[in-house]
Amino acid sequence: MEIKKTSLNKLHQSNNAKFVEFAGYEMPIQYSKGIIEEHKFTRSSSGIFDVSHMGQLFIYGDESLTEELEKIFPLDLKNLKQNCSKYSFLMNEDAGIYDDLIITKIEEGYLIILNAACKDKDFDILSNLLGSKFRMNLDNNRSLIAIQGPKSVEILNSIINGVDQLNFMTGNWFDSDNQKLFVTRSGYTGEDGFEISISNDKAEQFVENLIEKGAQLIGLGARDTLRLEAGLCLYGHELDINKTPIEANLRWAISKSRLSNGGFIGSKKIMNQMQDGASQIRVGIKPEGRLIAREKTKIFNDKDKQIGEITSGTFGPSVNGPIAMGYVDKEFSKVDTKILLEVRGKKHPANVCALPFYKKNYVKGVN
Amino acid sequence: MSEVKFSKEHEWITLEGDVATIGITKHATEMLGDIVFAELPEKGSNVEKDGTAGVVESTKAASDVYTPVSGEVVDTNQSIVDDPAKINEDPEGSAWFFKLKIKDSSELDTLMNKEDYDKFAKETSN
């Protein structure tokens, strides 16, 4: 299959990107400055991320669409205000996660942002569940640009006036340069920031304007270290079809009213796990010293019994040390539990720790 | 000091008497990206030509470090363990990895000179 390219591919090239294949797309893993500098620049200033490979699924409909979607997602969508976003997941009957996503209620229906590797399958699953009653558009004509970090609000507001009035996890349509952009205040780095949905033919010029105002392009490498420091899950690592939201310690993302009544796909399993507890749970892990424990590293207790596995592990540039997330048996999931990580045949000490590794800087209560 | 020689695994080596100093090449550090972890062989241990003699990890992945010649480890550079970023800064100078009392100086004959290595590095990185 031919590798897909986003509308910013030429711009990545002219900024000396190193490319990798990710979910069938040629994506920049880093630019000339490297992952650590890109990471730190995002935390201190403003980083631009091309996330156009992600799916932008528009589903059009009225209250009857809300009712149908409540049968699928563990959210109180009836009480979700227009232009407000929620983090959620598409699950099977066993509460296994097909994908994690952000869903926003818009005037015309809903906008759902899906992971690149899952978007086509998600579309098929949702089409089957919803039938032909509602128009669905997995929009390939729009790019998605994230701008993240403390200076992003000032930079973006100078181009799209009014975005500074958005609260975290809300969005709206804005007019800029004779076109409609959908902007949400959100992101996946632990910083204040925005995601902008923009038509493909305008994306490159838009990003060049952001760069002119002082923002810099950041690759997927730093996106990964940023999200891991922020304690956020990445599909295919922390989350997959064999993990439930309860095991992934994402109970907070399930609306309280839905926990008691159920009625969504996977609700029985979720309610059972709420009562009996999950046998394994996602935790933060801090190796002692500088050792990095990467994905698939086995976790042991002090009696040489395997109690879990790392799902993501790297060096955290802002933490200035190694960090990881993984799943451990429930009895080892308490903060400060001593565990051992097997790296290159030797066991190394580590501690279960609270997430995030890096304090989040989201903006709430603008209005 | 002898001429600097290079291995296909992107190590460099110099010889002074019967003690060799070994590190990884600038080209290797450029391929690895930001180095954040280094593990060195134990002093007093014996390493065999082309065997593993350490690990470097970048933000992206872990890579073994091989020794281009056999010998006994007589010294290691603790400063790169304490501050692995030094390897990116000065890979072919102050950020050497370990020193070996070599067994057989003819092992160096199989290695490349700078010109051949630069050509090899260019060809293999495409």
Side-chain angles (χ1 to χ4, degrees), chain A residues 199-354:
Chain A
S199 66
N200 289 339
D201 57 328
K202 305 261 188 183
E204 189 176 309
Q205 184 60 51
F206 175 72
V207 171
E208 279 176 354
N209 292 345
L210 294 174
I211 293 171
E212 202 173 291
K213 302 274 183 189
Q216 286 182 11
L217 284 164
I218 309 294
L220 289 184
R223 186 170 163 83
D224 193 48
T225 55
L226 287 159
R227 70 94 195 165
L228 188 49
E229 279 190 343
L232 299 166
C233 294
L234 182 62
Y235 195 81
H237 299 263
E238 283 69 42
L239 309 178
D240 60 43
I241 197 68
N242 298 311
K243 300 282 192 309
T244 74
I246 303 300
E247 290 157 6
N249 208 0
L250 296 171
R251 185 182 304 197
W252 59 267
I254 303 173
S255 298
K256 278 203 185 90
S257 63
R258 304 304 307 278
L259 275 176
S260 44
N261 297 329
F264 56 88
I265 297 172
S267 58
K268 274 188 190 146
K269 176 73 177 262
I270 288 205
M271 284 150 105
N272 284 343
Q273 284 194 334
M274 292 278 297
Q275 244 172 10
D276 307 336
S279 58
Q280 283 213 323
I281 194 150
R282 177 179 65 100
V283 293
I285 294 163
K286 190 105 188 61
E288 290 178 10
R290 297 191 68 94
L291 182 94
I292 297 169
R294 298 191 186 268
E295 187 177 5
K296 301 220 187 310
T297 297
K298 290 175 178 168
I299 306 171
F300 291 85
N301 68 4
D302 58 3
K303 296 184 177 63
D304 227 23
K305 179 180 174 261
Q306 190 181 343
I307 54 165
E309 196 174 280
I310 301 276
T311 49
S312 292
T314 189
F315 174 82
S318 303
V319 175
N320 193 24
I323 53 173
M325 291 197 287
Y327 283 80
V328 293
D329 293 347
K330 188 171 55 180
E331 58 268 39
F332 297 96
S333 64
K334 277 208 186 92
V335 168
D336 294 334
T337 303
K338 300 257 178 219
I339 55 175
L340 294 163
L341 308 175
E342 190 180 79
V343 177
R344 293 183 283 273
K346 274 193 235 164
K347 295 202 173 69
H348 302 266
N351 292 285
V352 172
C353 68

Side-chain angles (χ1 to χ4, degrees), chain B residues 9 11 47-54 64-70 98:
Chain B
E9 299 292 347
E11 284 88 27
V47 291
E48 291 295 318
K49 178 176 164 57
D50 301 330
T52 58
D64 285 324
V65 175
Y66 299 92
T67 174
V69 297
S70 311
F98 53 90

Side-chain angles (χ1 to χ4, degrees), chain A residues 152-183:
Chain A
S152 301
V153 58
E154 189 189 325
I155 289 171
L156 189 63
N157 204 60
S158 70
I159 297 172
I160 312 172
N161 188 40
V163 295
D164 61 340
Q165 295 305 304
L166 292 170
N167 279 322
F168 193 69
M169 291 301 271
T170 71
N172 214 337
W173 291 101
F174 289 85
D175 289 311
S176 176
D177 190 22
N178 296 319
Q179 68 152 332
K180 285 185 92 181
L181 308 174
F182 195 78
V183 182

Side-chain angles (χ1 to χ4, degrees), chain A residues 18 30 35-36 294 344, chain B residues 30 34 36 57-58 60:
Chain A
K18 279 191 193 170
Q30 65 168 80
I35 293 173
I36 291 181
R294 298 191 186 268
R344 293 183 283 273
Chain B
E30 283 163 2
D34 300 313
V36 293
E57 295 208 30
S58 71
K60 285 176 270 184

